[in-house]
Amino acid sequence: ALCPMRSPGVAAEARGEMATPRQADRRPWPAPRLLAVALSVASCWRHAAAQVSKDVVEHTKCQACEMAMTQAALHAQESSVKDEDALADLVDGLCTLKKKEGKWTAQYDIVRQGSDGPLTLVKQEGLGKCKAECLALQRGCSASLKNKEDTIVSLLMAGKSAEDLKKKVCKKICSKKLPPLKEFHDEPYHQRDPKEVEAEERVEKMRAETGQNFKMWSREEIASMSQADIELEAAKDALGAQRREAKLAKEAEDRERGIRPSQEL
């Protein structure tokens, strides 16, 4: 099971209990200690990024583009969205696991037939853990759709099919000559616990409804965190809460004075 948890370490069980906001009451951290933790986290991110093969990204761009177009047409049809801004948001989410439109990136396993065959995407059950192959699909997707977002939105507004989208958006990238793929290290596909996925979706829904920043932590992640990590997350959450409260207070004050927020102008 997964604990929906805000950045201070406030958790709620995946049984359906909502994660409740709480102010963190922590003493300020010494700057050197904060810096050490930040450098440690950055090092972990660099290590993870290094595992994504550029060759794999190149060899899956075409399939990633076509899959993204399939998802774009599917989500546009299911939601019956025709508004340009809403469709732009849909397109923006096609290549990120954080959005429902991009969750397909964790549903496919990249496989290779033989030692010199092409890479293909094989759909799996449920959502998998997003590691190197999932990240490669996201990068290939983002690269193939770069500067084509407006075109995709226009095609969706015109009610074009997934095949039409593929022909217009993916034709060039799919006709590109690929560099030799010397090595491919197949990454085992590990399906995530459906309860974990369900809990994550609830937290995403709460984030959308409340505007507050919730974060998901697995029990394993929580167990592996040091007290320093927990205190850092608490400090970050407290700062975020203060900023949100200050922003809301200013907006309320501006409305009383007859000043409209900039986003409404």
Side-chain angles (χ1 to χ4, degrees):
L2 200 76
C3 299
M5 183 173 174
R6 295 186 67 203
S7 45
V10 181
E13 296 295 335
R15 59 178 180 271
E17 179 183 342
M18 293 181 62
T20 56
R22 185 178 67 179
Q23 293 291 334
D25 182 17
R26 303 286 183 184
R27 290 175 295 177
W29 273 35
R33 190 177 180 188
L34 281 171
L35 179 60
V37 175
L39 290 174
S40 176
V41 172
S43 175
C44 291
W45 277 107
R46 286 196 298 270
H47 177 73
Q51 303 302 311
V52 181
S53 167
K54 292 182 179 179
D55 288 341
V56 172
V57 173
E58 287 297 322
H59 278 256
T60 54
K61 272 185 182 179
C62 173
Q63 296 176 78
C65 180
E66 292 185 337
M67 187 56 62
M69 293 304 93
T70 297
Q71 293 298 316
L74 177 63
H75 284 286
Q77 182 179 13
E78 288 181 346
S79 61
S80 300
V81 172
K82 295 295 181 182
D83 176 74
E84 184 175 359
D85 289 339
L87 287 173
D89 289 339
L90 185 156
V91 173
D92 287 343
L94 288 172
C95 304
T96 173
L97 191 58
K98 294 180 180 180
K99 300 293 183 179
K100 62 181 180 180
E101 297 86 0
K103 289 192 181 297
W104 65 271
T105 57
Q107 291 180 311
Y108 285 83
D109 186 24
I110 301 176
V111 299
R112 187 179 196 181
Q113 298 297 329
S115 59
D116 57 354
L119 299 183
T120 57
L121 305 186
V122 180
K123 190 171 184 180
Q124 306 294 313
E125 291 292 330
L127 287 178
K129 295 182 179 179
C130 192
K131 296 185 178 180
E133 291 186 2
C134 170
L135 292 174
L137 285 179
Q138 291 182 43
R139 293 186 184 182
C141 176
S142 297
S144 64
L145 304 190
K146 187 177 181 180
N147 299 325
K148 300 175 184 176
E149 295 86 353
D150 291 343
T151 299
I152 300 171
V153 170
S154 298
L155 292 170
L156 292 174
M157 290 181 68
K160 297 297 183 179
S161 67
E163 292 304 315
D164 292 330
L165 290 167
K166 293 176 187 178
K167 291 177 183 177
K168 184 68 175 180
V169 179
C170 306
K171 183 177 180 180
K172 184 176 180 179
I173 196 71
C174 289
S175 61
K176 182 180 178 181
K177 185 177 180 180
L178 296 174
L181 182 62
K182 297 179 181 179
E183 289 184 313
F184 173 66
H185 301 287
D186 191 17
E187 180 181 77
Y189 184 91
H190 297 291
Q191 183 181 352
R192 292 176 59 190
D193 186 338
K195 292 183 179 179
E196 174 182 313
V197 176
E198 182 183 351
E200 187 176 81
E201 291 174 349
R202 284 200 302 271
V203 171
E204 289 175 356
K205 184 178 180 181
M206 288 189 292
R207 182 185 294 117
E209 291 176 347
T210 65
Q212 297 189 35
N213 186 28
F214 293 88
K215 187 172 183 179
M216 297 292 296
W217 299 92
S218 68
R219 293 184 184 279
E220 291 76 14
E221 288 173 324
I222 294 173
S224 66
M225 291 174 71
S226 67
Q227 184 62 31
D229 294 332
I230 294 173
E231 290 182 2
L232 176 59
E233 294 300 328
K236 288 162 59 178
D237 182 72
L239 178 60
Q242 290 173 3
R243 287 175 175 173
R244 286 193 298 272
E245 290 173 1
K247 181 181 178 181
L248 291 173
K250 186 178 185 304
E251 290 177 355
E253 182 181 346
D254 287 344
R255 285 194 173 91
E256 289 180 359
R257 296 165 55 191
I259 302 175
R260 295 170 61 191
S262 58
Q263 63 267 29
E264 294 181 4
L265 298 177

